[in-house]
């Protein structure tokens, strides 16, 4: 931010309709830092820039969101790709044992003269056993999906032409469909992913409630750390 303040001294701002080229890197870097920390453009950043630059809140928000936003979208998508790979690896490892146990159930059912058809023998219904590791990865993926949806809608709100708003529910459903191939056919359903995510969020919510004082201190330190970047 010091560099930006120094650079501003050398700008005349005669043509305010065009954002000075020399100031763009510093402003977009500030936007990128906040996006990576919060996945949104904090009003404090805009207020801070307003004290340095001769632009109003709307103009600065529009510039940062439409210029730094797409960069953050690309980063979030790369994170999702990486998390999906991690989830697939976890599932593949877990399925080795789960497939073995399922096959044993089928052989036992046949030995007892029972049907080996899941619709006739509920004990043979394929059901993946989740661990918190897989739930956390799924949670991280959906958090990124929600952030992508929010940022995309914000960028669209500044478009000259009306852009349809993306609903978080629809975005999550599409991601669940994308993740289905991480499991062998028949072992997972989108509604089950949604259920597991809800259970995980509930469990984590209870932990955060118990740890509220520590979380509040951590949040304050985190915000302070973010704004130290702009001192």
């Amino acid at each position: 931010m010091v560099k930006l303040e120094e650079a501003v001294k050398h700008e005349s701002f005669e043509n305010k309709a065009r954002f000075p080229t020399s100031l763009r890197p510093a402003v977009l870097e500030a936007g990128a830092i906040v996006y990576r920390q919060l996945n949104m453009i904090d009003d404090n950043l805009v207020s801070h820039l307003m004290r340095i630059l001769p632009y109003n809140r709307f103009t600065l928000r529009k510039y940062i969101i439409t210029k730094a936003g797409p960069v953050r979208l690309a980063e979030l998508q790369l994170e999702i790709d990486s998390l999906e790979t991690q989830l697939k690896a976890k599932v593949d490892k877990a399925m080795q044992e789960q497939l073995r146990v399922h096959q044993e159930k089928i052989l036992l059912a046949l030995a007892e003269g029972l049907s080996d058809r899941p619709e006739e023998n509920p004990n043979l219904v394929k059901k993946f056993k989740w661990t918190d590791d897989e739930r956390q990865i799924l949670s991280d993926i959906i958090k990124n999906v929600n952030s992508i949806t929010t940022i995309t809608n914000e960028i669209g709100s500044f478009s000259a032409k009306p852009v349809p708003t993306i609903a978080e529910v629809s975005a999550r459903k599409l991601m669940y469909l994308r993740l289905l191939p991480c499991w062998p056919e028949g072992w997972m359903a989108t509604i089950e992913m949604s259920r597991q995510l809800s259970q995980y969020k509930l469990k984590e919510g209870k932990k955060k409630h118990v740890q509220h004082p520590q979380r509040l201190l951590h949040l304050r330190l985190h915000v302070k750390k973010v704004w130290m970047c702009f001192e």
Side-chain angles (χ1 to χ4, degrees):
M1 214 42 98
V2 174
K3 292 180 180 179
L4 179 60
E5 291 177 350
E6 185 61 31
V8 167
K9 297 178 183 178
H10 304 287
E11 289 290 341
S12 64
F13 295 99
E14 292 180 359
N15 182 11
K16 291 181 65 176
R18 182 175 176 78
F19 201 89
T21 304
S22 63
L23 304 182
R24 294 176 188 178
V27 172
L28 294 181
E29 181 184 1
I33 291 172
V34 173
Y35 259 135
R36 292 187 188 114
Q37 294 287 344
L38 307 174
N39 278 323
M40 60 177 288
I41 294 303
D42 185 56
D43 280 340
N44 289 327
L45 170 63
V46 180
S47 296
H48 195 79
L49 291 173
M50 286 173 65
R51 291 195 292 269
I52 303 173
L53 301 166
Y55 296 100
N56 60 33
R57 186 175 301 276
F58 176 84
T59 299
L60 287 171
R61 279 187 60 81
K62 178 180 179 180
Y63 182 76
I64 297 172
I65 289 173
T66 57
K67 300 300 182 184
V71 176
R72 183 55 183 154
L73 289 178
E75 292 175 348
L76 287 168
Q77 190 56 62
L78 286 176
E79 289 179 19
I80 288 176
D81 294 343
S82 176
L83 288 166
E84 182 180 3
T85 299
Q86 294 175 42
L87 179 61
K88 181 68 167 63
K90 290 280 187 183
V91 171
D92 285 347
K93 184 176 181 179
M95 283 307 305
Q96 296 176 19
E97 176 64 13
Q98 295 191 36
L99 285 169
R100 184 190 66 78
V101 171
H102 185 70
Q103 185 61 31
E104 286 182 353
K105 288 182 179 181
I106 293 176
L107 294 175
L108 181 60
L110 292 174
E112 294 177 349
L114 301 175
S115 173
D116 62 348
R117 295 168 59 84
E119 55 268 31
E120 297 175 0
N121 187 346
N123 191 44
L124 299 183
V125 173
K126 298 175 180 177
K127 187 173 182 180
F128 181 76
K129 292 184 178 180
W130 291 72
T131 67
D132 279 348
D133 285 344
E134 290 110 19
R135 294 188 186 98
Q136 181 177 348
I137 294 174
L138 177 62
S139 176
D140 290 342
I141 289 174
I142 297 304
K143 284 179 182 177
N144 280 2
V145 169
N146 291 340
S147 294
I148 286 175
T149 302
T150 299
I151 296 172
T152 300
N153 287 336
E154 282 190 326
I155 293 173
S157 69
F158 291 108
S159 175
K161 297 181 180 180
V163 178
T165 300
I166 302 173
E168 282 191 358
V169 174
S170 299
R172 286 197 297 270
K173 287 181 178 179
L174 288 174
M175 180 51 64
Y176 291 148
L177 288 172
R178 169 178 163 174
L179 295 176
L180 269 182
C182 289
W183 287 266
E185 185 176 355
W187 280 84
M188 186 53 56
T190 57
I191 192 172
E192 177 63 15
M193 280 188 244
S194 178
R195 191 176 73 85
Q196 290 293 332
L197 179 61
S198 295
Q199 289 183 355
Y200 182 76
K201 288 168 66 176
L202 181 62
K203 181 179 178 181
E204 290 301 299
K206 290 179 179 178
K207 287 182 182 178
K208 291 176 182 178
H209 179 72
V210 173
Q211 301 169 351
H212 179 70
Q214 292 85 349
R215 285 186 65 248
L216 184 59
L217 176 61
H218 175 75
L219 179 60
R220 287 172 177 169
L221 291 174
H222 175 72
V223 172
K224 183 178 180 181
K225 181 180 178 181
V226 172
W227 287 107
M228 281 177 64
C229 298
F230 304 118
E231 293 298 329

